[in-house]
């Protein structure tokens, strides 16, 4: 079967990664080992492997064609109408992309379910930015929210992520999507906090439902996400929330230092929280080398340099 341009989508501008060329490794149908309640795709029976997929040759041909038409591509994003790590020739594909990508970065958007498998683990080590979902830690939560295929050994996921984070020389980003009355309970958040501290990724994106979900589930509030972010100590936490509320306030130098010691804030946080006087105070703290700005996989964070 020939998939032609259905493999490729974009290039499209990404707020975090620049101009992104999307690669759909399952363009013909949904093939996923999760059937998440919040998925923006229609619900579908889970699978443990893909049985229909484009060839490595076809994918590389389409990437080369896109490079010829769009010379300014910042990132090649591997995704799928489902789970991209179920693509059976993932390692071969990554090797071939790495031969032609030049200065373009590679990114994969995965549910994290297969990272404990050696062939997947080793393939992911060759990708510049690995973004993995981690909505749940407990078996009960995985079954209820992510509705995993029986082939997924959920208790192997976090240990493999911990090892991966230590071994990779590239960027590991985690994503948690919170759903009301499912993974927003105190005990599950505590488990997530403990796991994330051990994994120590470059960044954690936390968000909630903002598109029509496959099933009848509800989002959490922005205030809930803010509270969760404050629980994740010494981690770069990026709150992903459409139409986030603005609450302009004046903060003193001491309050800013204390705030950024508790948790780094993103540039978007500063825009939504700090009035002009506070922004000038922040600039003075940066000039004094008390606060610094770091880029974490495309997201800028303001961090406290003081011990």
């Amino acid at each position: 079967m020939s998939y032609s341009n259905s493999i490729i989508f974009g290039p499209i501008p990404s707020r975090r990664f620049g101009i992104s060329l999307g690669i759909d490794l399952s363009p013909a149908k949904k093939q996923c080992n999760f059937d998440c309640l919040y998925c923006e795709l229609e619900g579908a029976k889970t699978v443990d492997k893909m049985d229909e997929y484009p060839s490595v040759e076809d994918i590389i041909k389409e990437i080369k064609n896109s490079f010829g038409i769009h010379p300014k591509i910042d990132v090649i994003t591997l995704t799928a109408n489902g789970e991209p790590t179920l693509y059976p020739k993932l390692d071969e594909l990554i090797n071939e992309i790495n031969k032609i990508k030049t200065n373009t970065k590679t990114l994969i958007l995965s549910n994290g379910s297969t990272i404990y498998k050696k062939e997947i683990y080793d393939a992911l080590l060759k990708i510049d930015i690995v973004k993995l979902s981690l909505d749940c830690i407990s078996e009960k939560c995985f079954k209820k929210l992510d509705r995993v295929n029986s082939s997924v050994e959920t208790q192997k996921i976090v240990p493999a992520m911990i090892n991966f984070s230590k071994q990779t020389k590239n960027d590991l980003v985690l994503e948690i999507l919170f759903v009301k009355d499912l993974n927003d309970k105190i005990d599950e958040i505590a488990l997530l906090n403990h796991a994330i501290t051990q994994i120590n990724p470059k960044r954690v994106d936390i968000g909630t439902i903002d598109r029509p979900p496959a099933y009848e589930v509800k989002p959490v509030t922005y205030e809930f996400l803010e509270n969760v972010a404050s629980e994740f100590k010494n981690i770069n936490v990026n709150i992903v929330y459409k139409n986030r509320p603005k609450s302009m306030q004046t903060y003193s130098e001491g309050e800013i230092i204390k705030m950024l010691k508790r948790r780094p804030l993103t540039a978007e946080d500063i825009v939504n929280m700090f009035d002009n006087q506070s922004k000038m105070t922040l600039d003075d703290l940066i000039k004094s080398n008390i606060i610094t700005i770091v880029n974490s996989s495309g997201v800028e964070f303001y961090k406290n340099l003081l011990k």
Side-chain angles (χ1 to χ4, degrees):
M1 180 181 292
S2 175
Y3 291 94
S4 184
N5 288 328
S6 62
I7 300 167
I8 298 287
F9 54 96
I12 56 174
S14 164
R15 191 169 59 175
R16 297 177 188 86
F17 302 111
I19 304 299
S20 169
L21 180 70
I23 311 297
D24 188 344
L25 300 181
S26 178
K29 61 181 180 179
K30 182 177 178 180
Q31 299 179 92
C32 193
N33 54 1
F34 282 11
D35 184 25
C36 300
L37 292 176
Y38 60 76
C39 186
E40 62 195 65
L41 303 175
E42 286 188 8
K45 185 178 179 181
T46 61
V47 298
D48 61 357
K49 61 185 177 184
M50 289 185 183
D51 60 16
E52 196 173 326
Y53 49 87
S55 69
V56 171
E57 293 75 21
D58 282 348
I59 295 170
I60 295 299
K61 179 183 175 183
E62 292 300 330
I63 293 173
K64 286 179 176 178
N65 287 343
S66 294
F67 275 0
I69 301 168
H70 309 282
K72 178 62 174 129
I73 295 173
D74 298 306
V75 63
I76 297 168
T77 303
L78 297 176
T79 182
N81 189 10
E83 170 50 35
T85 64
L86 297 184
Y87 182 72
K89 298 182 179 181
L90 186 65
D91 186 68
E92 179 188 346
L93 175 62
I94 293 165
N95 287 339
E96 292 303 313
I97 290 174
N98 285 342
K99 289 177 185 176
I100 64 169
K101 68 173 187 150
T102 60
N103 293 325
T104 305
K105 293 206 177 270
T106 48
L107 163 69
I108 191 167
L109 305 177
S110 165
N111 64 22
S113 61
T114 59
I115 191 170
Y116 58 85
K117 297 182 177 182
K118 187 178 186 307
E119 66 274 18
I120 304 298
Y121 184 102
D122 289 346
L124 294 180
L125 285 172
K126 302 173 185 177
I127 299 176
D128 296 313
I129 307 165
V130 174
K131 187 171 185 181
L132 307 175
S133 294
L134 186 65
D135 302 324
C136 298
I137 303 298
S138 70
E139 189 79 22
K140 178 182 176 183
C141 181
F142 267 114
K143 287 181 177 177
K144 198 169 182 180
L145 176 58
D146 291 332
R147 293 159 34 111
V148 301
N149 183 273
S150 59
S151 65
V152 179
E153 298 177 69
T154 57
Q155 297 313 304
K156 290 184 177 181
I157 292 173
V158 169
M161 286 184 179
I162 293 169
N163 289 335
F164 184 86
S165 182
K166 291 175 181 174
Q167 187 174 356
T168 185
K169 295 179 173 63
N170 298 317
D171 288 358
L172 172 62
V173 178
L174 293 184
E175 180 174 38
I176 307 170
L177 193 141
F178 285 100
V179 179
K180 187 174 174 57
D181 298 328
L182 285 160
N183 62 341
D184 60 343
K185 301 292 186 287
I186 292 173
D187 55 350
E188 197 66 37
I189 293 168
L191 290 173
L192 282 165
N193 192 359
H194 180 66
I196 288 165
T197 301
Q198 290 182 294
I199 297 167
N200 192 29
K202 282 283 180 72
R203 188 180 88 228
V204 178
D205 291 344
I206 63 172
T208 191
I209 300 163
D210 63 10
R211 298 177 187 178
Y215 301 95
E216 288 293 322
V217 286
K218 302 295 183 186
V220 298
T221 64
Y222 178 76
E223 290 71 27
F224 171 85
L225 295 176
E226 270 198 318
N227 290 335
V228 170
S230 66
E231 290 289 318
F232 294 168
K233 301 290 191 297
N234 301 315
I235 295 289
N236 293 333
V237 182
N238 177 38
I239 300 175
V240 181
Y241 194 89
K242 281 189 176 179
N243 303 318
R244 55 194 290 170
K246 291 193 175 186
S247 178
M248 300 292 190
Q249 295 187 45
T250 303
Y251 298 98
S252 68
E253 184 177 285
E255 286 172 328
I256 293 172
I257 291 170
K258 187 176 179 181
M259 187 186 302
L260 295 180
K261 188 173 184 181
R262 188 169 71 246
R263 91 173 167 91
L265 294 179
T266 65
E268 189 176 12
D269 291 330
I270 301 301
V271 167
N272 284 282
M273 294 169 58
F274 283 38
D275 65 9
N276 287 333
Q277 180 59 51
S278 302
K279 288 172 185 172
M280 287 190 288
T281 304
L282 179 63
D283 286 340
D284 289 339
L285 289 169
I286 293 169
K287 290 171 186 173
S288 301
N289 292 320
I290 295 171
I291 304 299
T292 190
I293 303 173
V294 297
N295 188 297
S296 180
S297 303
V299 176
E300 286 190 341
F301 284 87
Y302 290 77
K303 302 187 79 167
N304 189 335
L305 291 173
L306 300 177
K307 298 293 183 182

